[in-house]
Amino acid sequence: PLLDGRKMLAHRRQHGLLPTFEPPDMVIFCYHRPLLSHFRWRSKRVQGFFGESCLLKKRGPWGRSALVGNFGVGAPTLAVLLEEWAAFGVKRFVTVGMAGTIQPHLQAGDVMFCQRALRDEGTSHHYDATAARYAEATAVFTQQFIQKWPHPHHVGASWTTDAPYRETRPEVDAYAAEGILTVEMEAAALFTVGNYLGVETAAILVIGDHVTPTGWTFDFDHKLVDKRLRQVIDFLCTDGNK
């Protein structure tokens, strides 16, 4: 590539746009705006990266973490951030966000650990041009979270798409029959770009709505979903046994 994360960071350093601080052990990408507010008083805002980046003051069960949010949604932006933070020296990445479910037995507020993601977006294909249908999370890294998470949960596959308004009835039918649990916009890119860069990746999803062959249901309990998202962030950043 003519431009990558390393070259972009070198440019920012040259122009004094990248502060000096030790790379965190893990970066957590979060799309839900209140999650950053939840930890703002326990973190330090750092500059130099797209969106808002907060470096936590205390180490968690997986080392010192940074929360990165307010950068929008979707695979392309996530790939840019992943490239830049990896170039900065980070080796572990987790995405925490809401997802729709295409299975009737999952409910709003359920937590799902994503092991692999169907590559129905564009970004991953720029990093891996093979015909592989799925992108894989880092198995050992993901399993560490699954083993320590003390609450009910699901483990399985997600469908990553760039076009949430083009989720069709035939697709939902086919992917649900295949056993896919959720639909979201970033996991396949996270896993593929992470594999390309040689870093560890995991995705923890909280169910926020239902997408079924008969339609879309968005009448979920907002307070419950917010609570679950904060619970996941607390789990990653403070005490892995909570």
Side-chain angles (χ1 to χ4, degrees):
L2 299 175
L3 175 65
D4 59 18
R6 292 173 298 176
K7 294 176 183 177
M8 180 56 73
L9 290 197
H11 170 78
R12 291 178 188 164
R13 285 193 183 97
Q14 181 181 357
H15 292 275
L17 301 175
L18 190 67
T20 301
F21 59 93
E22 283 294 316
D25 300 293
M26 184 168 70
V27 161
I28 303 166
F29 297 116
C30 50
Y31 312 89
H32 194 51
R33 187 177 295 271
L35 291 180
L36 286 179
S37 301
H38 181 58
F39 268 95
R40 192 165 281 127
W41 65 276
R42 287 181 274 179
S43 64
K44 176 185 177 182
R45 178 86 180 264
V46 294
Q47 305 295 331
F49 297 90
F50 184 60
E52 182 177 350
S53 303
C54 298
L55 187 64
L56 298 185
K57 297 176 182 178
K58 293 186 178 181
R59 294 175 63 86
W62 286 277
R64 197 175 187 196
S65 297
L67 294 179
V68 179
N70 293 337
F71 54 83
V73 296
T77 304
L78 182 70
V80 168
L81 284 165
L82 183 55
E83 282 237 19
E84 293 179 0
W85 279 101
F88 192 67
V90 179
K91 301 296 184 183
R92 290 180 156 188
F93 297 86
V94 185
T95 184
V96 176
M98 287 192 296
T101 180
I102 60 174
Q103 297 290 349
H105 66 282
L106 271 66
Q107 302 297 321
D110 284 3
V111 173
M112 197 277 265
F113 293 89
C114 182
Q115 293 178 312
R116 60 178 185 161
L118 184 72
R119 299 169 63 198
D120 193 26
E121 39 63 67
T123 301
S124 69
H125 298 275
H126 291 277
Y127 288 84
D128 180 359
T130 68
R133 292 185 71 232
Y134 284 92
E136 305 289 335
T138 304
V140 174
F141 187 40
T142 302
Q143 192 60 34
Q144 290 176 3
F145 297 137
I146 295 172
Q147 289 175 345
K148 290 191 175 183
W149 178 254
H151 307 292
H153 62 275
H154 307 274
V155 179
S158 188
W159 162 26
T160 303
T161 176
D162 282 335
Y165 289 171
R166 300 301 298 167
E167 296 163 6
T168 65
R169 183 172 290 108
E171 287 176 310
V172 172
D173 279 333
Y175 298 151
E178 196 171 326
I180 292 174
L181 302 181
T182 58
V183 57
E184 39 65 51
M185 298 181 67
E186 296 89 14
L190 175 76
F191 301 157
T192 305
V193 179
N195 182 62
Y196 172 83
L197 296 172
V199 298
E200 296 182 286
T201 58
I204 306 176
L205 307 173
V206 175
I207 304 304
D209 59 291
H210 286 79
V211 183
T212 69
T214 58
W216 173 63
T217 304
F218 201 56
D219 57 346
F220 62 90
D221 185 338
H222 291 265
K223 291 183 179 180
L224 175 60
V225 173
D226 288 347
K227 177 182 176 181
R228 288 286 185 269
L229 287 166
R230 289 195 301 271
Q231 193 173 41
V232 171
I233 295 293
D234 284 333
F235 165 76
L236 294 172
C237 297
T238 55
D239 183 352
N241 293 313
K242 274 189 176 181

